[in-house]
């Protein structure tokens, strides 16, 4: 069963990667019976200079839409890979992850992280992974909130990801309507306009990311040649702790998601998604932060 879930996660990521950078496709709105009748009664007019295009998004071609009547607007589409990734993560967390659910060791580890948030007595690599939950949700907020559309309000799900990761963000990603339409600062809310769009915010987020290996002593471990022992300790912790294994899988999903959202954000800003920016965004945790600093 673990193999099937991991295979499902890999398939979702492959669909995400294959469709994230594909060019947008044009479409014509579907005509209903009433609109066809009214169009026949009107004289022909010259075509408009502008064309209507579908906002490109990862998984746009793999979605389910509920049937709607001629008098109702179409229901929002469901992104199958995003939804499948969310379900696979839940199954992994509650059924397949190593370790026991709510074990005494996990409870003690959480208590240690709460009691000593700066210098907990734990593996340095795991502590580095844990600190990434401070960075990635903020980067996702800066990528998702500008131009975000959909049936669900974005803000609660995005901020919920700081505590619950993709468990909170999954429903939003499965139902949101990504947009390539150009945005301006005036179109954004107060917090997005003054904080998430600020270069000061991006610079602070980048500096905070760079400081994590130093404050978690991972950089010192590398410099002193203790990295193999740290890696071995993390492997043992991952294999025995459900909390550690699920959190590691969760932050990995969030980091991949941030990288895949960069091309969409670039198109909203009339930036061409170049290979250099795509490669930069692929750097875990740090890459999206550097993109926020460099974007227009």
């Amino acid at each position: 069963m673990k193999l099937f879930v991991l295979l499902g996660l890999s398939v979702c990521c492959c669909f995400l990667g294959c469709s994230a950078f594909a060019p947008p496709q044009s479409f014509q709105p579907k005509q209903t019976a009433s609109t066809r009748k009214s169009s026949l009664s009107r004289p022909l007019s010259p075509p408009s200079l502008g064309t209507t295009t579908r906002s490109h998004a990862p998984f746009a071609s793999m979605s389910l839409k509920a049937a709607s009547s001629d008098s109702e607007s179409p229901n929002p589409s469901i992104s199958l890979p995003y939804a499948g990734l969310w379900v696979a993560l839940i199954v992994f967390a509650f059924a397949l992850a190593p370790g026991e659910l709510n074990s005494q060791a996990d409870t003690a580890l959480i208590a240690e992280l709460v009691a000593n948030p700066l210098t907990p007595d734990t593996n340095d690599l795991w502590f580095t992974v844990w600190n990434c939950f401070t960075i990635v949700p903020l980067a996702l907020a800066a990528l998702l909130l500008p131009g975000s559309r959909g049936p669900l309000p974005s803000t609660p799900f995005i901020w919920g990801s700081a505590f619950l990761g993709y468990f909170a963000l999954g429903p939003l990603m499965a139902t949101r309507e990504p947009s390539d339409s150009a945005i301006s600062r005036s179109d954004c809310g107060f917090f997005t306009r003054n904080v998430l769009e600020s270069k000061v915010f991006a610079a602070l987020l980048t500096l905070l990311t760079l400081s994590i290996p130093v404050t978690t002593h991972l950089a010192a471990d590398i410099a002193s040649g203790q990295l193999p022992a740290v890696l071995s300790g993390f492997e043992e912790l991952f294999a025995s702790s459900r909390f550690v294994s699920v959190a590691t899988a969760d932050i990995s999903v969030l980091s991949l998601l941030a990288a895949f959202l960069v091309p969409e954000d670039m198109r909203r800003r009339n930036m061409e998604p170049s290979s250099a920016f795509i490669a930069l965004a692929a750097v875990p945790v740090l890459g999206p932060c550097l993109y926020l600093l460099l974007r227009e």
Side-chain angles (χ1 to χ4, degrees):
M1 286 297 295
K2 291 184 180 181
L3 179 62
F4 291 141
V5 172
L6 292 176
L7 181 61
L9 289 170
S10 302
V11 170
C12 291
C13 292
C14 288
F15 280 127
L16 183 58
C18 291
S19 58
F21 312 122
Q25 299 176 347
S26 62
F27 80 105
Q28 294 296 331
K30 182 178 178 181
Q31 287 188 335
T32 63
S34 58
T35 56
R36 283 196 299 267
K37 182 177 179 181
S38 60
S39 62
L40 291 174
S41 63
R42 292 196 304 265
L44 294 177
S45 58
S48 172
L49 293 177
T51 58
T52 303
T53 59
R54 183 193 299 272
S55 296
H56 170 65
F59 314 144
S61 61
M62 295 195 60
S63 60
L64 288 178
K65 287 190 176 182
S68 59
S69 63
D70 291 345
S71 60
E72 295 179 350
S73 60
N75 290 327
S77 61
I78 302 296
S79 171
L80 294 181
Y82 276 132
L85 188 60
W86 182 62
V87 172
L89 188 61
I90 292 175
V91 172
F92 176 74
F94 290 96
L96 303 175
E100 298 179 1
L101 189 63
N102 295 326
S103 66
Q104 292 183 354
D106 283 351
T107 302
L109 177 58
I110 296 172
E112 176 68 18
L113 292 171
V114 173
N116 301 294
L118 299 180
T119 56
D121 183 16
T122 187
N123 180 270
D124 290 341
L125 180 55
W126 154 243
F127 190 42
T128 301
V129 172
W130 175 251
N131 275 268
C132 290
F133 278 99
T134 307
I135 305 298
V136 180
L138 289 173
L140 284 170
L143 292 169
L144 284 170
L145 283 178
S148 182
R149 299 182 305 178
L152 299 177
S154 301
T155 302
F157 293 92
I158 292 174
W159 296 124
S161 66
F163 303 96
L164 298 174
Y166 195 72
F167 293 98
L169 196 60
L172 175 67
M173 297 307 303
T175 57
R176 71 184 288 264
E177 299 178 19
S179 173
D180 294 342
S181 302
I183 60 170
S184 62
R185 292 176 66 90
S186 59
D187 297 328
C188 303
F190 176 83
F191 185 82
T192 301
R193 181 172 63 252
N194 294 284
V195 178
L196 299 180
E197 289 288 318
S198 169
K199 295 301 181 184
V200 175
F201 167 80
L204 290 176
L205 197 63
T206 302
L207 291 175
L208 185 60
T209 304
L210 292 172
S211 71
I212 287 179
V214 178
T215 57
T216 60
H217 307 295
L218 183 62
D221 294 333
I222 296 174
S224 61
Q226 298 181 9
L227 183 60
V230 173
L231 288 173
S232 178
F234 178 76
E235 289 175 1
E236 294 178 2
L237 194 59
F238 185 93
S240 60
S241 171
R242 180 161 298 197
F243 176 65
V244 172
S245 59
V246 172
T248 303
D250 193 11
I251 196 65
S252 300
V253 170
L254 292 179
S255 298
L256 285 172
L257 177 60
F260 288 131
L261 287 172
V262 165
E264 177 191 328
D265 186 77
M266 294 182 71
R267 284 186 287 267
R268 281 199 300 263
R269 299 167 192 277
N270 295 321
M271 298 173 61
E272 184 65 26
S274 63
S275 57
F277 273 109
I278 293 173
L280 178 65
V283 178
V285 186
L286 180 61
C289 297
L290 290 174
Y291 165 73
L292 296 178
L293 188 62
L294 297 174
R295 71 182 180 181
E296 296 177 0

